[in-house]
């Protein structure tokens, strides 16, 4: 029938023109809301002060520290933590002061014994041969502490106080050498520059992965030498207010990047994508898509491991 043909054609056109329905997984509210149009302008105007800088250094300065003596109780760590210019200055000053101090004592011994009044007298036995002033006493102090031994200035056996001073300077000189050389060795062997060849992605992204909403970023190593026992963890730095009304500034919350599944232990041979599932246990669950750019928060990623060449442990925090 003509009418039937018309109905069949209409039904075929409806089938062709009908849109295809795609069933997507149920997303949290932060993935369904649209961003406002003027969001980019608002984000450009905001200036955020970072908690951890991009080079991995913490942007925290300690102020109003009254008990400064605590830094001196752990003087070794204090010296290691100093900048190189101050460390080298202290290194030079410590040796110079010890040489001048013992040089002054050597000169005082020679002066009090009367060696300065018998310079050139072959019948007089001085405490130190060929010591004729403070400069020569200073040079003898350097030769004694550094065990150079040129052989021109020599202590004699007629000076018991000089023998005692020689023993004291030798022992103290060994202690100073052990302390300062150890401090320089520890500072040189610190693998801080190893982090320069660890590269993080410039931006972290939030997208679907295996039907789950995930926060993802990438990390890679530029060197051929591997990082042994590499592990990664992440922290959310955000101020919060408790139910009792207490304000906690810079509160730290763990971000699960595979702790329970072992995905946080990395074999960093090629660049890897680190993923955090945004579920009900995630600190991002209550933050919507429109609210996220307005939040004052920071994600700190901490990568720890051991340098393969030196077996020195190191840690890097950045994001």
């Amino acid at each position: 029938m003509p009418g039937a043909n018309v109905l069949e054609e209409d039904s075929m056109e409806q089938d062709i023109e009908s849109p295809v329905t795609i069933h997507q997984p149920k997303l949290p509210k932060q993935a369904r809301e649209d961003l406002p149009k003027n969001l980019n302008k608002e984000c450009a105007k905001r200036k955020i002060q970072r908690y951890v800088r991009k080079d991995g250094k913490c942007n925290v300065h300690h102020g109003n520290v009254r008990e400064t003596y605590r830094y001196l109780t752990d003087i070794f760590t204090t010296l290691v933590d100093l900048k190189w210019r101050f460390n080298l200055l202290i290194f030079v000053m410590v040796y110079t002061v010890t040489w001048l101090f013992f040089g002054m004592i050597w000169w005082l011994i020679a002066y009090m014994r009367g060696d300065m009044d018998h310079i050139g007298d072959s019948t007089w036995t001085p405490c130190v041969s060929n010591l004729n002033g403070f400069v020569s006493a200073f040079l003898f102090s350097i030769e004694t502490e550094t065990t150079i031994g040129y052989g021109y200035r020599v202590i004699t056996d007629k000076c018991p106080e000089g023998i005692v001073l020689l023993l004291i300077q030798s022992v103290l000189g060994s202690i100073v050498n052990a302390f300062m050389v150890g401090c320089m060795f520890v500072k040189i062997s610190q693998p801080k520059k190893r982090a320069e060849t660890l590269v993080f992605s410039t931006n972290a992204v939030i997208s679907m992965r295996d039907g789950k909403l995930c926060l993802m970023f990438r990390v890679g190593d530029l060197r051929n030498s591997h990082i042994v026992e590499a592990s990664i963890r992440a922290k959310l730095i955000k101020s919060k207010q408790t139910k009792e009304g207490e304000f906690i500034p810079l509160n730290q919350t763990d971000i699960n990047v595979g702790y329970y599944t072992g995905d946080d232990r990395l074999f960093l041979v090629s660049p890897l994508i680190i993923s955090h599932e945004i579920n009900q246990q995630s600190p991002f669950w209550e933050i919507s898509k429109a609210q996220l750019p307005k939040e004052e928060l920071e994600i700190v990623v901490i990568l720890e491991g051991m340098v393969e060449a030196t077996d020195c442990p190191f840690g890097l925090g950045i994001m």
Side-chain angles (χ1 to χ4, degrees), residues 71-244:
Y71 294 103
L72 298 178
T73 57
D74 189 11
I75 187 65
F76 188 83
T77 306
T78 302
L79 290 177
V80 173
D81 290 340
L82 288 177
K83 295 182 178 180
W84 269 109
R85 53 179 177 268
F86 298 115
N87 207 304
L88 292 175
L89 177 62
I90 293 176
F91 185 86
V92 173
M93 290 297 298
V94 167
Y95 279 106
T96 304
V97 168
T98 54
W99 294 338
L100 286 172
F101 174 74
F102 284 103
M104 178 65 70
I105 297 179
W106 284 115
W107 179 82
L108 286 176
I109 291 176
Y111 179 80
M112 295 178 64
R113 292 183 78 256
D115 295 343
M116 299 301 173
D117 300 331
H118 297 82
I119 298 176
D121 188 357
S122 59
T123 61
W124 179 264
T125 304
C127 182
V128 180
S129 301
N130 300 315
L131 194 150
N132 52 15
F134 178 75
V135 176
S136 59
F138 175 68
L139 293 176
F140 180 72
S141 175
I142 296 176
E143 295 173 15
T144 301
E145 189 165 335
T146 57
T147 64
I148 294 177
Y150 289 118
Y152 182 70
R153 280 171 286 270
V154 182
I155 188 172
T156 61
D157 56 354
K158 303 298 182 180
C159 183
E161 61 271 22
I163 296 175
V164 174
L165 181 61
L166 179 64
L167 295 175
I168 295 175
Q169 186 173 5
S170 299
V171 173
L172 291 181
S174 300
I175 295 175
V176 171
N177 288 334
F179 185 83
M180 298 307 300
V181 173
C183 178
M184 295 297 293
F185 177 77
V186 171
K187 191 168 183 64
I188 292 173
S189 61
Q190 283 183 329
K192 290 184 177 180
K193 296 301 180 181
R194 182 63 177 88
E196 298 293 334
T197 53
L198 291 174
V199 182
F200 285 81
S201 55
T202 305
N203 299 313
V205 298
I206 297 178
S207 62
M208 298 301 300
R209 194 181 200 190
D210 294 333
K212 301 175 182 178
L213 189 66
C214 297
L215 168 69
M216 294 176 288
F217 58 91
R218 181 176 290 182
V219 59
D221 188 8
L222 302 180
R223 287 188 179 273
N224 293 328
S225 59
H226 305 317
I227 298 177
V228 183
E229 297 182 0
S231 62
I232 193 168
R233 52 195 176 97
K235 293 280 188 179
L236 174 65
I237 311 297
K238 180 185 176 183
S239 301
K240 64 173 291 187
Q241 189 171 4
T242 62
K243 297 179 180 179
E244 294 78 13

Side-chain angles (χ1 to χ4, degrees), residues 249-291:
L250 301 177
N251 182 61
Q252 300 183 12
T253 306
D254 283 331
I255 300 176
N256 185 15
V257 290
Y259 177 79
Y260 298 103
T261 59
D263 293 336
D264 61 329
R265 294 183 288 274
L266 309 179
F267 183 51
L268 201 58
V269 178
S270 60
L272 299 177
I273 296 178
I274 311 300
S275 177
H276 163 69
E277 181 184 350
I278 302 179
N279 50 27
Q280 294 183 356
Q281 286 75 35
S282 172
F284 301 101
W285 180 257
E286 297 296 333
I287 303 176
S288 65
K289 183 178 179 180
Q291 184 183 358

